[in-house]
Amino acid sequence: MLTNPETKYRPFESGIDLPDRQWPSRRMTKAPRWVSTDLRDGNQALADPMDVEKKMRFYDMLLEVGFKEIEIGFPSASQTEFDFVRGLIEGNRIPEDVAVQVLTQSREDLIVRTFEALTGARRAIVHLYNATAPLFRRVVFRMEKQEIVDLAVAGAKIMLREARKRPETEWIFQYSPETFSFTEPDFALEICERVLDVWQPTPERPVILNLPGTVEVAMPNVYADQIEWFCRHVSRRDSVVICVHPHNDRGTAVAATELAVLAGADRVEGCLFGNGERTGNVDLVTLALNLYTQGIDPGLDFGDMRRVVRTAEHCNKLPVHPRHPYAGELVFTAFSGSHQDAIKKGFSAHSKRNDGVWEMPYLPIDPADLGETYEAVIRVNSQSGKGGVAWVLEQDKGLQLPRRFQIDFSRKVQDIADRTGREMTAANIWSAFEESYHLAGEQRFDLVEYEEPGPRRTGQDRVFVGRVRIDGEEATVTGRGNGLISSAVAALNERCGFGIEVVDYHEHALKRGSDSQAVAYLECRTPDDRRIYGVGIDTDIATASVKAVLSAANAL
């Protein structure tokens, strides 16, 4: 790279002076009109363009999501495109409330072919375009400004002629000064005015003027200035729908689009997950769900996000990145210990609220609204903390570990994760839990049975009498204490000389109903001031408590 890039590159100058710009102080209160161009702009960007089967599958998914305007192709570009358009019309596959859109260059033969493809449609948008920027005028077309205007006007007249031949269709006209983003503002306005002179729009039959960010050449605020300036100066504003079609060359298409809507745009064209030429078109999924998180109905339903992702990946043969906003497999997942702790506490607080408001650390949207579960919100690796490990056990097994128990077990899990260098799945964590607290397999101390004592007077000690398998051999143990747990501990201390004492105890039910289980957690202190932990699970809470005592003994 150059150390003096100013010798090769020039900063973009919009030519707009807008000191009284209004868009910075506006707020979005409703969604714009959405147009999916996946079947045209997104399709043309693929190394292997979609065949009819894939286009139909994608089209059906767009309808299910709720798109009311869909650009279905470029019918004059190939026989496949033409046949797909005809198949939708002849197969009656276009709902009455949906308008299909097609694109055409400003050439008579291409326009005629485009209208032939749309013959019989109930309602259709025909999108005419030609490039207008100085670079394209000079290098690509070698035309002067007037010739560029004449080309657009000629195309507009041919469209009007072809539409009049087919009065059974409700025709909507759209014009794009392609490369608007780096066209002189006054020239972009002039060419659009000349096209409007031909089409003569009215408030009842408006025309769409599409102002594409064909190439991102400046920061998003510059694009917003361009849109606001145009909206202020275009005539017949009440008869014109202002549309934007941003690309993502600078990686700021989403921001540019949101600011453009604040600046006056009524309609947005883009693709799902940002597919499109070069760095892609603006991502309609991100735009729509950005609105949703602000309490604005986007008018699109991504309640089954996994299905939308699978369809897009199948048809485009392009993966959706694991970190893609809202849609990636990892976007709701926390590995960091501090993040996990905050999320765990957030869910605990949320369960106590009854106002329905979503306020969750690190999660701006409820994954459930997108058809996702909470199982993958927290995943555990060597970077995770006690909160993450505790969350996984609570979600997977219903265990609610006390805080010091969490600390003890999380250290064991982290040791395993450090040693293996891999993520710990829920099954891995449960296996580690069983091993750490001696819940599975033959152990040094196993409960065989114990006697349930009869009623006792207040202040009277309790006597524990039980049979315990110690190193494979059954033995009777007895002990006295002020309760079941203390007497069971005393029995083991007397039999084995442990000298442990109970420091903390917790219990809770695992499930509701007649088949419910209970879990007991025990923290004990050894004579040399070490802490050991035990856990017991049983349908009977008293038996679970005794098992927890033996679990702690096994830790010795």
Side-chain angles (χ1 to χ4, degrees):
M1 292 179 65
L2 300 174
T3 57
N4 53 342
E6 72 276 3
T7 63
K8 186 174 183 178
Y9 300 99
R10 295 288 183 268
F12 176 71
E13 299 293 341
S14 69
I16 291 176
D17 182 24
L18 206 63
D20 61 338
R21 58 181 60 84
Q22 301 299 305
W23 61 262
S25 60
R26 292 176 183 158
R27 296 291 179 268
M28 220 179 298
T29 58
K30 65 177 182 178
R33 288 166 51 180
W34 305 114
V35 188
S36 163
T37 65
D38 289 272
L39 301 179
R40 193 275 301 174
D41 208 35
N43 182 41
Q44 288 180 321
L46 301 176
D48 299 311
M50 297 181 217
D51 56 21
V52 171
E53 180 275 327
K54 286 187 173 65
K55 288 193 76 167
M56 192 65 74
R57 181 170 173 174
F58 208 118
Y59 171 78
D60 288 340
M61 184 263 290
L62 292 172
L63 292 179
E64 290 176 15
V65 168
F67 283 94
K68 301 304 180 185
E69 297 178 59
I70 302 173
E71 192 167 61
I72 56 175
F74 203 142
S76 64
S78 72
Q79 191 62 43
T80 298
E81 293 284 283
F82 186 94
D83 291 344
F84 178 69
V85 175
R86 292 307 310 153
L88 292 181
I89 296 170
E90 293 171 3
N92 197 29
R93 299 292 296 268
I94 306 171
E96 291 188 6
D97 62 344
V98 171
V100 292
Q101 176 174 306
V102 295
L103 189 72
T104 180
Q105 293 169 304
S106 190
R107 275 175 40 190
E108 182 169 10
D109 58 326
L110 301 182
I111 296 172
V112 170
R113 178 75 167 161
T114 298
F115 275 85
E116 289 174 355
L118 290 170
T119 300
R122 281 188 294 268
R123 183 163 49 137
I125 303 168
V126 182
H127 181 184
L128 175 74
Y129 76 97
N130 65 312
T132 56
L135 177 63
F136 280 69
R137 298 196 308 260
R138 185 178 70 251
V139 175
V140 181
F141 299 107
R142 298 180 182 178
M143 288 183 175
E144 299 298 325
K145 284 184 177 180
Q146 189 57 52
E147 293 175 287
I148 295 293
V149 172
D150 291 343
L151 185 63
V153 169
K157 289 179 178 178
I158 297 167
M159 282 176 56
L160 198 58
R161 182 194 73 198
E162 293 300 312
R164 286 170 176 167
K165 293 178 182 178
R166 300 167 177 84
E168 71 280 3
T169 298
E170 178 188 344
W171 297 105
I172 302 169
F173 293 159
Q174 176 171 329
Y175 174 68
S176 287
E178 194 202 3
T179 64
F180 167 84
S181 51
F182 50 108
T183 296
E184 308 95 325
D186 56 347
F187 181 59
L189 179 65
E190 177 188 351
I191 196 168
C192 288
E193 291 288 5
R194 298 294 75 76
V195 169
L196 293 180
D197 289 342
V198 175
W199 287 340
Q200 290 295 311
T202 65
E204 294 72 32
R205 296 183 66 85
V207 158
I208 300 167
L209 291 179
N210 184 46
L211 309 178
T214 308
V215 180
E216 275 199 311
V217 294
M219 291 190 291
N221 61 295
V222 175
Y223 190 52
D225 279 352
Q226 291 172 314
I227 300 302
E228 181 168 335
W229 184 92
F230 191 94
C231 289
R232 289 189 191 186
H233 290 85
V234 68
S235 67
R236 293 169 278 206
R237 181 65 181 92
D238 61 349
S239 303
V240 169
V241 174
I242 299 297
C243 180
V244 291
H245 181 110
H247 281 255
N248 198 40
D249 302 85
R250 292 169 56 95
T252 59
V254 168
T257 304
E258 291 180 332
L259 298 188
V261 172
L262 292 178
D266 309 299
R267 185 176 185 262
V268 174
E269 294 184 347
C271 292
L272 303 189
F273 310 116
N275 185 30
E277 292 284 7
R278 306 183 312 280
T279 54
N281 293 50
V282 69
D283 175 16
L284 298 184
V285 176
T286 300
L287 283 173
L289 294 177
N290 281 355
L291 290 178
Y292 185 79
T293 64
Q294 302 304 301
I296 300 171
D297 179 9
L300 300 176
D301 184 359
F302 292 106
D304 189 356
M305 183 61 80
R306 286 306 105 208
R307 181 176 182 277
V308 175
V309 169
R310 287 194 302 269
T311 301
E313 290 182 330
H314 169 76
C315 296
N316 292 333
K317 295 184 180 178
L318 292 173
V320 173
H321 196 281
R323 300 291 184 189
H324 192 101
Y326 303 112
E329 290 185 358
L330 295 178
V331 295
F332 301 123
T333 301
F335 290 102
S336 160
S338 60
H339 288 208
Q340 293 174 342
D341 184 61
I343 291 171
K344 182 177 182 294
K345 290 174 180 175
F347 271 100
S348 177
H350 183 71
S351 67
K352 299 172 184 177
R353 298 174 60 123
N354 56 11
D355 59 4
V357 175
W358 181 257
E359 288 185 337
M360 188 66 58
Y362 298 112
L363 294 176
I365 192 172
D366 186 350
D369 289 353
L370 305 182
E372 308 286 9
T373 67
Y374 297 137
E375 292 178 5
V377 167
I378 290 176
R379 288 162 58 176
V380 175
N381 62 13
S382 60
Q383 305 299 308
S384 304
K386 66 181 187 303
V389 174
W391 163 271
V392 172
L393 279 178
E394 183 173 351
Q395 296 299 304
D396 188 51
K397 298 296 182 180
L399 300 180
Q400 299 169 16
L401 304 187
R403 185 176 184 277
R404 286 197 293 271
F405 209 114
Q406 292 179 30
I407 295 171
D408 182 71
F409 182 53
S410 68
R411 287 171 181 161
K412 301 177 190 300
V413 172
Q414 190 169 41
D415 286 344
I416 298 171
D418 280 332
R419 189 168 63 250
T420 62
R422 294 195 300 268
E423 179 186 350
M424 295 284 289
T425 65
N428 297 149
I429 292 171
W430 176 243
S431 178
F433 189 81
E434 287 184 310
E435 182 179 350
S436 297
Y437 302 106
H438 314 283
L439 298 178
E442 188 173 327
Q443 305 294 333
R444 185 182 180 201
F445 297 95
D446 279 318
L447 179 66
V448 178
E449 62 180 2
Y450 72 97
E451 296 180 9
E452 289 284 357
R456 63 191 179 99
R457 294 177 182 177
T458 303
Q460 185 179 29
D461 282 349
R462 179 168 184 168
V463 177
F464 177 86
V465 180
R467 291 191 61 77
V468 177
R469 190 177 294 108
I470 304 176
D471 294 327
E473 296 185 4
E474 289 190 15
T476 299
V477 295
T478 61
R480 185 181 297 274
N482 60 9
L484 175 63
I485 295 172
S486 62
S487 61
V489 169
L492 283 179
N493 282 337
E494 184 172 329
R495 174 77 186 193
C496 303
F498 289 149
I500 62 176
E501 61 177 302
V502 177
V503 174
D504 197 16
Y505 173 81
H506 294 270
E507 65 181 46
H508 66 81
L510 283 178
K511 290 185 289 185
R512 295 177 180 175
S514 59
D515 63 341
S516 65
Q517 288 186 304
V519 58
Y521 308 96
L522 201 64
E523 180 184 353
C524 297
R525 182 168 52 224
T526 66
D528 58 354
D529 206 31
R530 287 188 299 119
R531 299 300 171 104
I532 56 175
Y533 297 84
V535 61
I537 301 175
D538 197 87
T539 53
D540 174 61
I541 186 57
T543 304
S545 301
V546 175
K547 287 182 175 180
V549 172
L550 296 176
S551 171
N554 281 315
L556 293 170

XYZ file of all heavy atoms in Angstrom, residues 117-173:
465
model
N -42.488 -10.458 -21.700
C -42.385 -11.390 -20.569
C -43.472 -11.139 -19.535
O -43.940 -12.073 -18.878
C -41.007 -11.262 -19.912
N -43.899 -9.884 -19.382
C -44.867 -9.522 -18.350
C -46.316 -9.570 -18.817
O -47.223 -9.284 -18.030
C -44.552 -8.119 -17.827
C -43.270 -7.980 -16.988
C -42.950 -6.520 -16.756
C -43.417 -8.709 -15.654
N -46.546 -9.902 -20.063
C -47.911 -9.927 -20.606
C -48.810 -10.824 -19.763
O -48.482 -11.970 -19.479
C -47.898 -10.425 -22.061
O -47.097 -9.532 -22.845
C -49.314 -10.472 -22.629
N -49.929 -10.265 -19.306
C -50.883 -11.030 -18.511
C -50.735 -10.848 -17.015
O -51.570 -11.343 -16.251
N -49.710 -10.141 -16.577
C -49.538 -9.900 -15.138
C -50.606 -8.928 -14.639
O -51.004 -8.006 -15.353
C -48.149 -9.340 -14.861
N -51.066 -9.116 -13.396
C -52.046 -8.203 -12.827
C -51.426 -6.844 -12.531
O -52.019 -5.805 -12.788
C -52.638 -8.791 -11.544
C -53.700 -9.850 -11.762
C -54.364 -10.218 -10.445
N -53.425 -10.867 -9.549
C -53.247 -12.187 -9.484
N -53.956 -12.983 -10.282
N -52.383 -12.707 -8.638
N -50.239 -6.871 -11.928
C -49.556 -5.633 -11.562
C -48.056 -5.871 -11.681
O -47.535 -6.876 -11.201
C -49.913 -5.232 -10.130
C -49.305 -3.905 -9.686
C -50.018 -3.378 -8.459
N -50.151 -4.408 -7.431
C -49.940 -4.176 -6.124
N -49.590 -2.989 -5.710
N -50.094 -5.139 -5.252
N -47.349 -4.945 -12.303
C -45.922 -5.139 -12.527
C -45.195 -3.798 -12.505
O -45.727 -2.777 -12.945
C -45.674 -5.855 -13.859
N -43.977 -3.836 -11.992
C -43.095 -2.669 -11.974
C -42.008 -2.890 -13.014
O -41.300 -3.901 -12.984
C -42.453 -2.490 -10.583
C -43.528 -2.370 -9.502
C -41.529 -1.279 -10.569
C -42.990 -2.491 -8.085
N -41.886 -1.965 -13.962
C -40.826 -2.035 -14.960
C -39.786 -0.973 -14.606
O -40.105 0.211 -14.503
C -41.365 -1.813 -16.382
C -40.222 -1.935 -17.395
C -42.462 -2.825 -16.692
N -38.581 -1.423 -14.422
C -37.499 -0.596 -13.893
C -36.511 -0.286 -15.020
O -35.788 -1.158 -15.492
C -36.827 -1.370 -12.760
C -35.707 -0.628 -12.094
N -34.930 -1.194 -11.109
C -35.215 0.631 -12.266
C -34.013 -0.333 -10.708
N -34.163 0.779 -11.398
N -36.485 0.953 -15.427
C -35.597 1.439 -16.487
C -34.383 2.111 -15.855
O -34.514 2.835 -14.872
C -36.353 2.450 -17.358
C -35.568 3.166 -18.463
C -35.302 2.218 -19.623
C -36.324 4.407 -18.924
N -33.194 1.868 -16.464
C -32.012 2.524 -15.901
C -30.997 2.840 -16.992
O -30.957 2.195 -18.036
C -31.349 1.636 -14.831
C -30.557 0.482 -15.397
C -29.177 0.571 -15.558
C -31.186 -0.711 -15.788
C -28.434 -0.475 -16.086
C -30.458 -1.762 -16.298
C -29.082 -1.651 -16.452
O -28.365 -2.693 -16.987
N -30.218 3.844 -16.729
C -28.989 4.088 -17.488
C -28.029 4.875 -16.611
O -28.441 5.652 -15.751
C -29.256 4.803 -18.822
C -29.806 6.200 -18.643
O -30.745 6.433 -17.881
N -29.234 7.161 -19.369
N -26.734 4.652 -16.814
C -25.711 5.258 -15.955
C -25.563 6.744 -16.275
O -25.670 7.162 -17.431
C -24.384 4.542 -16.128
N -25.305 7.538 -15.232
C -25.300 8.992 -15.399
C -24.026 9.674 -14.897
O -23.829 10.862 -15.163
C -26.487 9.604 -14.629
O -26.405 9.196 -13.244
C -27.821 9.132 -15.221
N -23.147 8.974 -14.189
C -21.988 9.612 -13.563
C -20.957 10.054 -14.601
O -20.852 9.453 -15.681
C -21.349 8.654 -12.562
N -20.173 11.076 -14.299
C -19.161 11.574 -15.243
C -18.202 10.490 -15.715
O -17.866 10.424 -16.908
C -18.434 12.656 -14.443
C -19.416 13.097 -13.407
C -20.223 11.900 -13.075
N -17.742 9.633 -14.813
C -16.806 8.571 -15.196
C -17.425 7.658 -16.239
O -16.758 7.273 -17.216
C -16.403 7.778 -13.948
C -15.473 6.583 -14.185
C -14.132 7.040 -14.741
C -15.279 5.793 -12.883
N -18.693 7.289 -16.064
C -19.359 6.403 -17.003
C -19.649 7.123 -18.322
O -19.532 6.534 -19.400
C -20.640 5.841 -16.383
C -20.388 4.694 -15.452
C -19.752 4.892 -14.232
C -20.776 3.410 -15.787
C -19.504 3.850 -13.369
C -20.532 2.343 -14.929
C -19.886 2.564 -13.712
N -20.047 8.386 -18.238
C -20.293 9.152 -19.467
C -19.020 9.248 -20.309
O -19.051 9.094 -21.527
C -20.790 10.565 -19.122
C -22.102 10.614 -18.371
C -22.745 11.992 -18.401
N -21.877 13.075 -17.990
C -21.876 13.642 -16.790
N -22.704 13.178 -15.845
N -21.076 14.660 -16.508
N -17.918 9.457 -19.622
C -16.655 9.692 -20.322
C -15.994 8.399 -20.798
O -15.514 8.313 -21.933
C -15.697 10.447 -19.393
C -14.389 10.862 -20.046
C -13.505 11.649 -19.088
N -12.958 10.823 -18.013
C -13.339 10.894 -16.759
N -14.299 11.738 -16.385
N -12.795 10.098 -15.833
N -15.979 7.382 -19.952
C -15.186 6.186 -20.223
C -16.014 5.049 -20.818
O -15.588 4.393 -21.769
C -14.490 5.712 -18.925
C -13.762 4.396 -19.147
C -13.530 6.777 -18.428
N -17.196 4.810 -20.254
C -17.979 3.640 -20.666
C -18.810 3.920 -21.906
O -18.794 3.142 -22.872
C -18.874 3.173 -19.498
C -19.685 1.942 -19.912
C -18.033 2.866 -18.264
N -19.559 5.041 -21.899
C -20.485 5.313 -23.003
C -19.983 6.365 -23.991
O -20.502 6.450 -25.104
C -21.845 5.750 -22.427
C -22.469 4.699 -21.562
C -22.521 4.846 -20.181
C -22.995 3.546 -22.120
C -23.078 3.875 -19.372
C -23.565 2.569 -21.325
C -23.602 2.723 -19.944
N -19.016 7.162 -23.570
C -18.476 8.231 -24.417
C -19.611 9.108 -24.957
O -19.750 9.345 -26.159
C -17.652 7.653 -25.574
C -16.441 6.868 -25.104
C -15.644 6.312 -26.241
N -14.519 5.522 -25.756
C -13.657 4.876 -26.531
N -13.812 4.920 -27.861
N -12.670 4.183 -26.008
N -20.435 9.569 -24.036
C -21.587 10.400 -24.368
C -21.542 11.696 -23.569
O -21.018 11.739 -22.450
C -22.903 9.676 -24.041
C -23.271 8.537 -24.958
S -24.899 7.846 -24.479
C -25.150 6.642 -25.787
N -22.131 12.730 -24.121
C -22.316 13.987 -23.413
C -23.595 13.914 -22.583
O -24.417 12.999 -22.745
C -22.387 15.149 -24.410
C -21.140 15.330 -25.250
C -19.911 15.647 -24.418
O -20.057 16.360 -23.381
O -18.815 15.179 -24.761
N -23.761 14.882 -21.716
C -24.934 14.885 -20.832
C -26.237 14.778 -21.614
O -27.138 14.001 -21.257
C -24.947 16.162 -19.980
C -23.955 16.163 -18.823
C -24.133 17.437 -17.987
C -23.216 17.440 -16.776
N -23.375 18.672 -15.966
N -26.374 15.573 -22.702
C -27.631 15.568 -23.435
C -27.928 14.208 -24.043
O -29.082 13.768 -24.095
C -27.617 16.643 -24.529
C -28.972 16.850 -25.201
C -30.064 17.203 -24.192
O -29.906 18.119 -23.384
N -31.175 16.472 -24.215
N -26.885 13.532 -24.489
C -27.095 12.196 -25.058
C -27.579 11.215 -23.984
O -28.414 10.341 -24.274
C -25.786 11.696 -25.671
C -25.323 12.478 -26.883
C -23.960 12.013 -27.370
O -22.958 12.316 -26.684
O -23.905 11.346 -28.426
N -27.074 11.369 -22.776
C -27.518 10.504 -21.670
C -28.991 10.779 -21.350
O -29.790 9.857 -21.140
C -26.645 10.736 -20.430
C -25.198 10.311 -20.693
C -27.203 9.993 -19.222
C -25.008 8.826 -20.884
N -29.365 12.052 -21.350
C -30.766 12.421 -21.115
C -31.639 11.865 -22.229
O -32.717 11.293 -21.975
C -30.922 13.952 -21.024
C -32.397 14.337 -20.971
C -30.190 14.503 -19.794
N -31.210 12.025 -23.460
C -32.003 11.539 -24.603
C -32.208 10.030 -24.523
O -33.288 9.522 -24.859
C -31.293 11.889 -25.917
C -31.282 13.387 -26.198
O -32.081 14.112 -25.562
O -30.473 13.838 -27.031
N -31.189 9.311 -24.058
C -31.307 7.857 -23.927
C -32.388 7.492 -22.909
O -33.217 6.599 -23.155
C -29.957 7.276 -23.507
C -29.847 5.753 -23.420
C -30.071 5.119 -24.788
C -28.493 5.357 -22.865
N -32.402 8.175 -21.785
C -33.401 7.900 -20.755
C -34.799 8.256 -21.233
O -35.760 7.498 -21.023
C -33.064 8.679 -19.483
N -34.938 9.399 -21.871
C -36.249 9.847 -22.362
C -36.780 8.888 -23.412
O -37.972 8.540 -23.423
C -36.150 11.289 -22.899
C -37.414 11.659 -23.659
C -35.908 12.269 -21.762
N -35.901 8.436 -24.304
C -36.332 7.496 -25.337
C -36.851 6.208 -24.711
O -37.897 5.673 -25.118
C -35.171 7.201 -26.293
N -36.141 5.705 -23.705
C -36.589 4.488 -23.030
C -37.913 4.693 -22.326
O -38.789 3.813 -22.350
N -38.076 5.847 -21.704
C -39.335 6.142 -21.010
C -40.512 6.155 -21.986
O -41.608 5.668 -21.680
C -39.218 7.475 -20.285
N -40.302 6.715 -23.176
C -41.375 6.770 -24.180
C -41.730 5.373 -24.683
O -42.914 5.055 -24.892
C -40.946 7.662 -25.328
C -40.886 9.149 -24.976
C -40.425 9.985 -26.157
C -40.411 11.480 -25.810
N -39.914 12.313 -26.947
N -40.736 4.543 -24.904
C -41.008 3.170 -25.370
C -41.784 2.396 -24.307
O -42.725 1.656 -24.631
C -39.690 2.458 -25.710
C -38.976 3.163 -26.872
C -39.937 0.997 -26.064
C -37.543 2.740 -27.075
N -41.424 2.573 -23.048
C -42.152 1.910 -21.972
C -43.616 2.344 -21.966
O -44.528 1.517 -21.810
C -41.504 2.222 -20.617
C -40.243 1.430 -20.333
S -39.440 1.888 -18.782
C -40.739 1.654 -17.590
N -43.860 3.639 -22.147
C -45.224 4.150 -22.165
C -46.015 3.526 -23.310
O -47.166 3.111 -23.155
C -45.185 5.672 -22.296
C -46.451 6.444 -21.918
C -46.861 6.170 -20.478
C -46.225 7.942 -22.137
N -45.365 3.418 -24.469
C -46.019 2.821 -25.646
C -46.373 1.355 -25.400
O -47.499 0.912 -25.695
C -45.068 2.941 -26.842
C -45.628 2.409 -28.159
C -44.512 2.262 -29.180
N -43.647 1.125 -28.871
C -42.416 0.971 -29.378
N -41.880 1.912 -30.173
N -41.711 -0.092 -29.068
N -45.423 0.591 -24.876
C -45.652 -0.843 -24.658
C -46.706 -1.074 -23.571
O -47.496 -2.021 -23.656
C -44.339 -1.534 -24.279
C -43.299 -1.563 -25.383
C -43.796 -2.292 -26.623
O -44.345 -3.419 -26.466
O -43.666 -1.742 -27.736
N -46.738 -0.226 -22.560
C -47.726 -0.377 -21.500
C -49.139 -0.143 -22.034
O -50.083 -0.849 -21.649
C -47.428 0.581 -20.362
N -49.288 0.837 -22.914
C -50.607 1.144 -23.477
C -51.137 0.005 -24.332
O -52.358 -0.121 -24.527
C -50.538 2.442 -24.268
C -50.441 3.682 -23.369
C -50.131 4.938 -24.145
N -50.133 6.115 -23.264
C -49.663 7.307 -23.591
N -49.122 7.492 -24.823
N -49.711 8.307 -22.739
N -50.262 -0.831 -24.841
C -50.700 -1.994 -25.604
C -51.299 -3.076 -24.708
O -51.974 -3.980 -25.197
C -49.510 -2.606 -26.367
C -48.938 -1.747 -27.472
C -47.746 -2.456 -28.108
C -47.086 -1.613 -29.191
N -45.898 -2.302 -29.777
N -51.064 -2.963 -23.410
C -51.473 -4.013 -22.469
C -52.232 -3.370 -21.300
O -51.779 -3.382 -20.148
C -50.242 -4.773 -21.969
C -49.457 -5.453 -23.093
C -48.087 -5.916 -22.617
N -47.358 -6.627 -23.636
C -46.621 -6.035 -24.590
N -46.526 -4.710 -24.627
N -45.996 -6.767 -25.506
N -53.402 -2.816 -21.541
C -54.142 -2.083 -20.503
C -54.674 -2.978 -19.384
O -55.105 -2.464 -18.346
C -55.282 -1.435 -21.294
C -55.460 -2.320 -22.487
C -54.102 -2.807 -22.844
N -54.647 -4.298 -19.576
C -55.155 -5.196 -18.542
C -54.230 -5.266 -17.323
O -54.643 -5.730 -16.253
C -55.342 -6.616 -19.107
C -54.064 -7.387 -19.406
C -53.398 -7.011 -20.722
O -53.892 -6.084 -21.408
O -52.383 -7.656 -21.077
N -53.003 -4.787 -17.483
C -52.021 -4.806 -16.387
C -51.926 -3.427 -15.753
O -51.949 -2.403 -16.439
C -50.638 -5.230 -16.923
O -50.724 -6.547 -17.458
C -49.590 -5.191 -15.806
N -51.822 -3.414 -14.418
C -51.534 -2.173 -13.709
C -50.019 -1.960 -13.757
O -49.267 -2.652 -13.070
C -52.009 -2.252 -12.260
C -51.701 -1.000 -11.450
C -51.991 -1.154 -9.979
O -52.711 -2.100 -9.596
O -51.452 -0.337 -9.185
N -49.578 -1.005 -14.560
C -48.157 -0.770 -14.759
C -47.641 0.300 -13.798
O -48.276 1.342 -13.614
C -47.875 -0.335 -16.198
C -48.216 -1.380 -17.212
C -49.293 -1.394 -18.039
C -47.485 -2.572 -17.478
N -49.304 -2.523 -18.814
C -48.188 -3.273 -18.486
C -46.314 -3.138 -16.952
C -47.753 -4.494 -18.999
C -45.878 -4.345 -17.465
C -46.593 -5.016 -18.476
N -46.511 0.020 -13.191
C -45.823 0.990 -12.347
C -44.439 1.203 -12.944
O -43.710 0.236 -13.196
C -45.696 0.477 -10.899
C -47.093 0.181 -10.323
C -44.955 1.487 -10.014
C -47.058 -0.577 -9.010
N -44.099 2.455 -13.200
C -42.816 2.760 -13.833
C -41.782 3.176 -12.784
O -42.103 3.898 -11.829
C -42.972 3.886 -14.860
C -43.810 3.498 -16.057
C -44.405 4.476 -16.841
C -44.005 2.168 -16.405
C -45.167 4.136 -17.946
C -44.768 1.820 -17.504
C -45.351 2.798 -18.274
